[in-house]
Amino acid sequence: MTIRVHPLSADIELARAIAHHSRPLPERISGALTWGADEHTLTALAVGWWVWCRAKPPSQRLASDHVLLTTLASVLLPHILKRHFDQVRPDRRTVRGHLHGVPLSGRALDAFPSGHAVHIGALASAAAVLPPAKRNLAWGLGAVLVSTRVFLLAHWASDVRAGLAIGAALERIIRLLTGFGRRGSA
């Protein structure tokens, strides 16, 4: 059974404003930045860090185990959810945006939830154990990366918010399995 999801009126207003003000250069920049939250990029980074940490102290190995498992789960979950939810992407509802550089992204009915936001929500949740400066850097970078999904009209803003929440909840559930974040373990 597929559930049809509809954008909120605020989503539609924001998408219209973005389409009206879009320009080719900012769209190309957003298109390049969005790769930083792509499942392939994040999986490659998580695997690389996991391999690198095999010779590190136990706390770093635990952290890399957790991040790799979280990354893999956050890559898989949006694919499962998108099979059960249909929502038209905002880029399919604009002509003006395409005239100003907005590209087509993904499958037309795969707006909900934003997979990029699920990935970033999960990793941002894991970053909560970092010292404040590193945590804030990770959260700021994550905010920039997920905002590209809205600027590219690949997702409605509510899809991104939902994806962040889903990712954060997923990471917290995985913590129960890995023990990551417990005092003395990270």
Side-chain angles (χ1 to χ4, degrees), residues 45-128:
L45 291 171
V47 167
W49 188 50
W50 183 85
V51 169
W52 184 73
C53 283
R54 293 306 87 198
K56 300 294 178 190
S59 63
Q60 280 186 283
R61 289 195 309 270
L62 173 63
S64 70
D65 292 346
H66 179 76
V67 167
L68 179 59
L69 182 59
T70 298
T71 300
L72 295 175
S74 74
V75 163
L76 180 63
L77 185 58
H79 292 286
I80 294 168
L81 292 174
K82 286 174 189 258
R83 287 184 178 184
H84 299 286
F85 293 97
D86 280 347
Q87 183 178 33
V88 175
R89 291 180 184 270
D91 64 10
R92 300 314 200 279
R93 294 179 63 172
T94 180
V95 172
R96 179 189 303 245
H98 298 301
L99 295 174
H100 295 281
V102 172
L104 288 176
S105 38
R107 287 183 251 172
L109 295 177
D110 276 358
F112 184 85
S114 166
H116 286 66
V118 172
H119 311 150
I120 295 301
L123 295 173
S125 179

Side-chain angles (χ1 to χ4, degrees), residues 32-46:
L33 288 173
T34 201
W35 281 96
D38 179 75
E39 64 186 43
H40 302 97
T41 303
L42 292 175
T43 300
L45 291 171

Side-chain angles (χ1 to χ4, degrees), residues 123-135:
L123 295 173
S125 179
V129 303
L130 295 173
K134 290 180 181 180
R135 177 188 62 227

